[in-house]
Amino acid sequence: MAHIIANSAQFVSPSELNTPAADTPAPTPSVAGNPFRSLPEWIGRTPDSAVPPRVRLRVFQRYAGRCQCGCNRPIRPGEAWECEDTIAIINGGSRRESNLKPWLAEHHKVKTRQDVAEKSRVYRKSAKHAGVELKPRQKIQSRGFAKFEAQCTATRPIRKWSPAMEAEQ
Ligand SMILES: [Zn+2]
C-alpha cells in the first residue's frame, strides 16, 4: 500500500483570507497520521465562543507551533499563546477553525490594536460614502507645559537649583 502524506499546508492560503466567501466550505483538517479520517471544522456558536482545547491543539499543530503574526517564531513550552481570528470578528471574520491561527499572546496585543484602528477606518470610510457626517475625531488635549519665567535676563542672575527651590513649587 502506498503511503499518502497529508499536506499540512493545505489549510488556508493567503489569497483565501483576503476574500471572505461565506458560502465556500472551509477545507476540513485531516487527522495527523490518518489521512482517511477527517474531522468536521469547529465553528463557534457565537462570535466570542471559547476555542475548545482539542481545537486549540489542532490549530497549534497545523502551524507547527509557530507564531503566525509574521515572526514565525516557535512557541516555547509554557509560553502564552492565543487562537487569533485571522480576519478579526469586528472586521467580518467568523469564529471558526479555518480562521484561527496560533499567535503569541504578546504579539496578539499589537494586532488587536490594529484591528480596532482598521474597524474605525472602515467605519469612517463607509460613513463618508453614505454621506453621513460623523463628529470629527477628538484629539486628546494635553495639559501642555507650564509657563516658566525666563531662566535669566540681563538684570537677573541665573538661579542654581537647590532643594529649597523644589519646596517652593
Ligand atoms: Zn509573532
Side-chain angles (χ1 to χ4, degrees):
M1 197 189 94
H3 254 15
I4 296 163
I5 296 152
N7 182 3
S8 59
Q10 69 182 6
F11 207 63
V12 183
S13 72
S15 61
E16 276 176 73
L17 294 178
N18 296 332
T19 51
D23 305 330
T24 48
T28 46
S30 58
V31 180
N34 185 353
F36 301 105
R37 215 187 111 207
S38 64
L39 291 169
E41 187 197 5
W42 175 80
I43 299 169
R45 238 181 304 161
T46 63
D48 51 6
S49 287
V51 180
R54 64 191 158 83
V55 178
R56 256 179 85 80
L57 181 62
R58 293 207 294 256
V59 169
F60 187 88
Q61 287 174 337
R62 184 166 314 119
Y63 295 97
R66 286 171 179 271
C67 176
Q68 296 300 305
C69 83
C71 71
N72 204 35
R73 179 157 89 56
I75 298 166
R76 287 190 280 264
E79 247 183 331
W81 65 277
E82 282 154 29
C83 280
E84 169 67 24
D85 300 298
T86 307
I87 302 164
I89 303 296
I90 56 167
N91 290 319
S94 39
R95 194 73 169 151
R96 62 193 300 167
E97 199 172 338
S98 57
N99 192 32
L100 296 175
K101 285 184 181 177
W103 278 51
L104 280 162
E106 277 304 306
H107 302 180
H108 167 87
K109 278 184 211 157
V110 177
K111 182 167 186 279
T112 306
R113 274 199 295 274
Q114 288 169 348
D115 287 339
V116 171
E118 168 69 13
K119 189 197 179 190
S120 161
R121 219 167 17 244
V122 170
Y123 175 67
R124 284 181 182 274
K125 212 170 159 186
S126 40
K128 197 176 174 190
H129 183 90
V132 176
E133 278 216 30
L134 298 173
K135 270 193 266 175
R137 223 179 277 231
Q138 288 238 307
K139 284 235 172 93
I140 296 166
Q141 279 284 314
S142 82
R143 187 154 163 261
F145 294 99
K147 294 249 176 341
F148 280 108
E149 276 180 72
Q151 273 280 328
C152 68
T153 62
T155 54
R156 190 160 50 83
I158 295 169
R159 290 166 74 203
K160 290 241 169 80
W161 181 87
S162 70
M165 275 170 75
E166 188 114 292
E168 279 171 31
Q169 290 181 2

